[in-house]
Amino acid sequence: MKNITFNSIKVKSNPQKIVEPSENNIGIKYVILEPVGFPIKINGENIKVTVDDGKLFNHYARDQWENEIIKEGDYLFDNNIIPDYAFKILSVYPKDGEITTKETIYKLNTPIQNEIKNVKKTYFEEIIGQNQAKNKCKIIMKYLENPEIFGEWSPKNILFYGPPGTGKTMLARALASQTESNLKLIKATELIGEHVGDSSKVIKRLYEEAATNKPCIIFIDEIDAIALSRNYQSLRGDVSEVVNALLTELDGIHENEGVITIAATNNPDMLDLAVRSRFEEEILFKIPDEKERLEILKTYSKKLPIKVKVDFKKYIKKTEGMNGRVLKEKLLKPLLHKAIIEDLDEISEKEFEEILNRLTNQNTKNIPSDLYS
């Protein structure tokens, strides 16, 4: 991108509205900005602004914008380094604040690390079974698509629970894909910082990023790793810190319209009551029934790069208790690998039955996986 000089053309910005702070004014604590460029492009060019040193940018912003009246959707104009360059105000906290102060923190909008564009897109029709869970998630979809109509009645914290491999993460991806929302996938243990105070900073940053990239789903997997009931763990200081910081966000101390938290666990009864009580809705994920297991096998077998000639109905009873992940990763995948190793042109019932028998024996005898050697 070319450098631009302004020798002959000068675009004058709107006069700044400067007022003196008073006792009645509530100072704005956080301002999230997005660099948008000049009001008028010159020779079709614009300038892209990035910030390497957030602390330095914050000092610079405070110097020129202190005591200016601002609200979400307004613009601030640079007066010094890039005159008349505009920054759009994406978000302010608190929303009823009027006057910025020397304590205000200015940040440029930075996309969350795991935006939906970087996460595999999934859609509801790809999720076999779990009809009750999908039906309950319709309210989440409506909220993410139109959060302002809900007001104080918006869904905020949802708990997905059920056996592993039943599609909890997959449904979170589908919710994000269907509503074109950002998605932040995180393991609960990633919230535990290395040093005292780190955990609260990590969680605060997580929700700040979500608020500036709304609509956004924060999906916390294996929440029981940090939020076990005291009956099941001796409470460590780092775990206590992360739970307290998380509870602050789940309680809605900060207004996060357009942001929803979904946590997942295999063991809801083992969760700390203080954490579990923050989830207004608990959605159960079940082991697929016979009809659903048959559909899973048929659907995924069609995606294999080798033709499959198997009547799955003959074997479906033997897959009882298996979830979708097991059927795909421990039955069909080893079956494909076996066919590749043996240079087969197609997969017959002989190969399928061999892998299925090994898998069922492994499950009953609790022996290590050795499916296609």
Side-chain angles (χ1 to χ4, degrees), residues 10-190:
K10 179 70 175 175
V11 181
K12 193 67 180 173
S13 60
N14 291 330
Q16 293 182 335
K17 297 174 282 187
I18 305 294
V19 298
E20 290 299 322
S22 73
E23 292 182 2
N24 296 326
N25 295 132
I26 301 174
I28 291 174
K29 302 298 183 186
Y30 296 96
V31 180
I32 307 297
L33 302 172
E34 179 180 24
V36 293
F38 294 98
I40 299 175
K41 287 186 179 180
I42 302 172
N43 298 326
E45 294 286 352
N46 220 319
I47 295 176
K48 183 176 177 61
V49 173
T50 58
V51 171
D52 293 327
D53 189 332
K55 190 174 182 181
L56 179 62
F57 174 77
N58 196 42
H59 280 290
Y60 177 72
R62 284 173 177 169
D63 271 351
Q64 63 175 329
W65 294 323
E66 182 186 355
N67 295 338
E68 184 165 356
I69 298 175
I70 62 173
K71 65 179 184 297
E72 289 183 8
D74 281 352
Y75 294 87
L76 291 170
F77 291 90
D78 195 343
N79 301 308
N80 300 315
I81 296 180
I82 319 175
D84 301 317
Y85 190 90
F87 294 85
K88 186 175 182 180
I89 300 168
L90 296 182
S91 162
V92 296
Y93 174 79
K95 289 196 174 190
D96 55 355
E98 295 180 0
I99 310 300
T100 58
T101 68
K102 287 186 177 180
E103 286 71 43
T104 301
I105 297 174
Y106 295 85
K107 292 183 180 179
L108 285 193
N109 178 38
T110 53
I112 55 179
Q113 294 175 357
N114 294 52
E115 284 185 301
I116 189 64
K117 64 182 180 183
N118 295 323
V119 177
K120 180 183 176 183
K121 288 203 172 187
T122 306
Y123 296 93
F124 270 43
E125 55 266 26
E126 298 176 50
I127 301 173
I128 299 169
Q130 309 302 345
N131 293 326
Q132 185 180 11
K134 286 188 284 188
N135 191 52
K136 282 193 171 187
C137 283
K138 287 180 181 177
I139 192 68
I140 301 175
M141 292 177 64
K142 290 184 180 295
Y143 171 66
L144 291 170
E145 290 167 349
N146 198 3
E148 57 271 12
I149 67 171
F150 284 82
E152 63 180 297
W153 308 106
S154 58
K156 288 294 185 182
N157 309 313
I158 309 295
L159 184 68
F160 285 179
Y161 74 97
T166 48
K168 296 184 285 294
T169 305
M170 193 176 184
L171 187 53
R173 285 197 180 102
L175 279 169
S177 298
Q178 299 276 150
T179 59
E180 296 184 348
S181 300
N182 287 308
L183 176 64
K184 180 67 175 177
L185 291 171
I186 191 165
K187 293 282 188 184
T189 49
E190 294 177 44

Side-chain angles (χ1 to χ4, degrees), residues 143-292:
Y143 171 66
L144 291 170
E145 290 167 349
N146 198 3
E148 57 271 12
I149 67 171
F150 284 82
E152 63 180 297
W153 308 106
S154 58
K156 288 294 185 182
N157 309 313
I158 309 295
L159 184 68
F160 285 179
Y161 74 97
T166 48
K168 296 184 285 294
T169 305
M170 193 176 184
L171 187 53
R173 285 197 180 102
L175 279 169
S177 298
Q178 299 276 150
T179 59
E180 296 184 348
S181 300
N182 287 308
L183 176 64
K184 180 67 175 177
L185 291 171
I186 191 165
K187 293 282 188 184
T189 49
E190 294 177 44
L191 299 175
I192 301 176
E194 191 172 340
H195 305 289
V196 174
D198 285 353
S199 297
S200 57
K201 292 177 183 176
V202 168
I203 293 171
K204 184 177 180 181
R205 177 61 176 161
L206 172 65
Y207 279 85
E208 281 180 354
E209 289 177 344
T212 57
N213 290 273
K214 56 191 178 183
C216 184
I217 298 170
I218 297 174
F219 184 80
I220 304 174
D221 200 10
E222 299 175 359
I223 193 171
D224 45 286
I226 59 169
L228 279 181
S229 168
R230 293 168 191 249
N231 295 329
Y232 301 102
Q233 68 166 340
S234 55
L235 204 61
R236 307 196 317 267
D238 54 357
V239 173
S240 177
E241 179 193 338
V242 71
V243 169
N244 289 336
L246 183 59
L247 287 176
T248 298
E249 299 297 343
L250 296 179
D251 281 339
I253 301 298
H254 306 132
E255 181 60 41
N256 285 324
E257 186 179 88
V259 177
I260 194 161
T261 302
I262 299 176
T265 179
N266 303 332
N267 303 296
D269 294 333
M270 297 179 71
L271 288 178
D272 184 85
L273 183 58
V275 175
R276 189 172 182 179
S277 65
R278 264 61 175 194
F279 296 98
E280 68 261 23
E281 182 69 62
E282 298 185 359
I283 299 178
L284 171 64
F285 286 70
K286 302 176 182 178
I287 292 289
D289 60 24
E290 192 171 295
K291 181 180 178 182
E292 291 164 350

